[in-house]
């Protein structure tokens, strides 16, 4: 990607959109009502909209290192609250990916400075599932499994929020856990048993 090509590319993109619909950008400027909130990794290989075939206006996106939903992170919590309470999205997706550098870094015994408190949340997931993870002999399989379990725990972190619980009671908002396999491009639905998780989580985390 050459930075000086970007504005040229942008003009091509504008022309393409206008050639199909001359009011395209006028319509976009009128507002947004996305159906989906997507929370994914900042990794440059995991492009939120492109891999889903989504168009501008269709998906509200938040990305951070290792697709984390941390209760004291004002950024992700603002996005979640705005998407659920104001934009009224009906689906919340947490999407992780194999070959995630954030998850890999969390598994190394290194002092990573400002990343330490962030990545510690992934270590906490490891600790919760230590028995299951350490029963996996192949290191790569264990790494992949941690990536999946991290997605599951971040979905659970969504469920723990008051905004989600309110929207769930009102209109049955759903949470989905996905993983992108960077090596094949395939998007995998982890098929988290949402009802079961919800029942379990609400026993402790019910707010409303
Ligand atoms: Co990543």
């Amino acid at each position: 990607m050459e930075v000086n090509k970007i504005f040229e590319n942008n003009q091509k993109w504008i022309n393409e959109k206008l050639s199909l619909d001359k009011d395209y950008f006028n319509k976009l400027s009128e507002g947004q009502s996305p159906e989906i909130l997507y929370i994914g990794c900042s990794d440059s290989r995991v492009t939120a909209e492109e891999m889903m075939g989504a168009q501008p206006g269709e998906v509200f996106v938040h990305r951070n290192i290792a697709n984390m939903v941390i209760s004291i992170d004002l950024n992700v919590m603002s996005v979640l609250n705005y998407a659920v309470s104001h934009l009224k999205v009906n689906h919340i997706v947490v999407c992780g990916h194999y070959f995630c550098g954030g998850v890999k870094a969390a598994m190394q015994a290194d002092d990573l400075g400002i990343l330490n408190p962030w990545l510690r949340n992934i270590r906490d997931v490891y600790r919760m599932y230590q028995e299951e993870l350490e029963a996996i002999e192949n290191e790569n399989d264990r790494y992949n499994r941690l990536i999946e379990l991290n997605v599951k725990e971040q979905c659970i972190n969504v469920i723990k929020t008051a905004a989600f619980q309110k929207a769930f009671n009102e209109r049955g908002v759903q949470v989905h856990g996905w993983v992108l396999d960077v090596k094949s491009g395939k998007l995998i639905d982890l098929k988290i048993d949402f009802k079961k998780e919800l029942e379990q989580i609400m026993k402790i985390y019910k707010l409303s």
Side-chain angles (χ1 to χ4, degrees):
M1 181 85 229
E2 285 178 53
V3 171
N4 58 14
K5 282 269 170 68
I6 290 175
F7 290 92
E8 210 177 290
N9 292 345
N10 171 249
Q11 191 55 53
K12 274 189 209 156
W13 175 71
I14 293 169
N15 296 345
E16 269 171 37
K17 294 291 185 194
L18 293 179
S19 71
L20 296 170
D21 178 359
K22 64 178 174 42
D23 278 329
Y24 185 78
F25 293 102
N26 281 334
K27 285 178 191 160
L28 273 189
S29 73
E30 282 164 10
Q32 59 170 338
S33 55
E35 185 66 11
I36 300 168
L37 164 63
Y38 170 96
I39 300 167
C41 185
S42 297
D43 193 301
S44 60
R45 300 165 296 180
V46 189
T47 59
E49 291 92 340
E50 193 180 334
M51 69 177 182
M52 293 190 279
Q55 294 301 315
E58 292 181 333
V59 185
F60 201 64
V61 172
H62 177 79
R63 292 168 71 178
N64 63 37
I65 289 177
N67 40 271
M68 303 302 287
V69 179
I70 297 171
S71 67
I72 56 165
D73 174 27
L74 198 53
N75 192 346
V76 70
M77 284 300 134
S78 302
V79 168
L80 181 66
N81 274 267
Y82 184 69
V84 169
S85 306
H86 296 272
L87 296 174
K88 309 249 181 244
V89 300
N90 286 313
H91 299 272
I92 302 166
V93 170
V94 177
C95 185
H97 66 104
Y98 297 138
F99 308 95
C100 184
V103 174
K104 184 140 233 177
M107 293 335 298
Q108 263 135 38
D110 273 329
D111 180 351
L112 296 169
I114 190 66
L115 276 174
N116 290 338
W118 190 261
L119 298 178
R120 186 184 303 155
N121 294 284
I122 305 173
R123 290 176 190 256
D124 290 341
V125 175
Y126 188 99
R127 184 162 52 83
M128 269 188 265
Y129 295 93
Q130 189 169 6
E131 210 174 315
E132 175 186 341
L133 286 164
E134 289 180 1
I136 302 170
E137 276 180 32
N138 182 288
E139 201 180 318
N140 207 49
D141 292 345
R142 198 186 315 137
Y143 171 39
N144 286 349
R145 186 62 186 144
L146 178 58
I147 285 163
E148 295 169 0
L149 291 169
N150 184 49
V151 167
K152 181 179 167 188
E153 283 303 316
Q154 303 320 309
C155 288
I156 289 171
N157 285 341
V158 170
I159 296 172
K160 290 173 190 169
T161 65
F164 170 81
Q165 292 180 18
K166 187 165 176 275
F168 180 77
N169 293 335
E170 278 171 12
R171 61 182 195 279
V173 172
Q174 286 180 36
V175 182
H176 309 268
W178 299 348
V179 166
L180 179 82
D181 183 2
V182 174
K183 205 169 182 177
S184 65
K186 205 165 173 56
L187 201 49
I188 300 156
D189 185 349
L190 295 176
K191 296 201 166 70
I192 293 165
D193 189 343
F194 183 70
K195 274 213 169 111
K196 195 184 117 209
E197 293 302 333
L198 199 68
E199 248 168 56
Q200 196 60 29
I201 293 308
M202 286 302 197
K203 282 181 193 162
I204 302 170
Y205 296 93
K206 191 172 176 11
L207 296 173
S208 63

